[in-house]
Amino acid sequence: MNSTKRPYTLFRLTEYEQFSLKQLSIFSNCTFEVKRGWFGILLELGTDLEKYCNEHKIDLPIILQIKEKFGTLRFYYTLKDKTIAEEHKNAIREMVKKAEDLSEITCEKCGEKGELVVDSNFWSTVCPSHRPKKAINATDLKN
């Protein structure tokens, strides 16, 4: 292995971070397929969802998968009660969208301010210190 590259496991959520997230009911049965830099985003999202659902006396969303895809956070869920009011569905959707949007500007490795880049067809959101040398800004691909 090239000594300048770090293995993926170095940036995975630590056992303590996973334990901390699993203290929230919404994440109690989840596996996390994301790197450490998004720990704060997930913690805030889980806390906000639990608070909102408790205040409005609605069931928590059921988490299907939490992962990185094309360099940003993806949060897949379903609602246990399909009959909840549209305002609650929209509020939950907005909280999830906010977290996903934040991941696009947060380094997935360390949590610092980052940007979405592409390196050899691999998308990631990274800060300047974690940016691969040959990476290009994803916005350059969209233009």
Side-chain angles (χ1 to χ4, degrees), residues 49 52-54 56-62 77-93 95:
L49 286 170
Y52 182 86
C53 291
N54 287 336
H56 294 90
K57 298 184 180 10
I58 58 175
D59 290 327
L60 289 170
I62 299 167
Y77 67 95
T78 187
L79 298 174
K80 186 174 182 179
D81 179 4
K82 307 285 189 212
T83 64
I84 68 170
E86 207 57 40
E87 70 179 283
H88 298 312
K89 290 178 186 177
N90 290 337
I92 291 168
R93 196 174 301 121
M95 285 182 252

Side-chain angles (χ1 to χ4, degrees), residues 1-7:
M1 177 183 354
N2 182 337
S3 62
T4 61
K5 294 198 176 199
R6 296 181 179 161

Side-chain angles (χ1 to χ4, degrees), residues 1 3 13-14 24-25 28 35 38 48 52 60 65 67-68 90 95 99 102-103 106 126 128 134 143:
M1 177 183 354
S3 62
L13 290 172
T14 65
L24 294 169
S25 298
S28 62
K35 296 178 185 162
W38 293 340
D48 290 349
Y52 182 86
L60 289 170
Q65 188 176 33
K67 69 177 190 173
E68 173 273 328
N90 290 337
M95 285 182 252
L102 270 174
S103 75
T106 305
V126 290
K134 295 182 180 180
N143 294 332

Side-chain angles (χ1 to χ4, degrees), residues 73-134:
L73 179 67
R74 294 295 187 267
F75 191 87
Y76 300 103
Y77 67 95
T78 187
L79 298 174
K80 186 174 182 179
D81 179 4
K82 307 285 189 212
T83 64
I84 68 170
E86 207 57 40
E87 70 179 283
H88 298 312
K89 290 178 186 177
N90 290 337
I92 291 168
R93 196 174 301 121
E94 284 301 313
M95 285 182 252
V96 170
K97 182 172 179 357
K98 177 185 169 193
E100 291 176 341
D101 289 348
L102 270 174
S103 75
E104 194 171 331
I105 58 169
T106 305
C107 179
E108 63 190 57
K109 296 180 179 182
C110 69
E112 295 296 319
K113 184 174 176 10
E115 62 183 344
L116 188 60
V117 299
V118 182
D119 180 40
S120 301
N121 292 323
F122 180 76
W123 296 63
S124 59
T125 302
V126 290
C127 65
S129 64
H130 289 116
R131 182 186 176 112
K133 287 183 178 26
K134 295 182 180 180

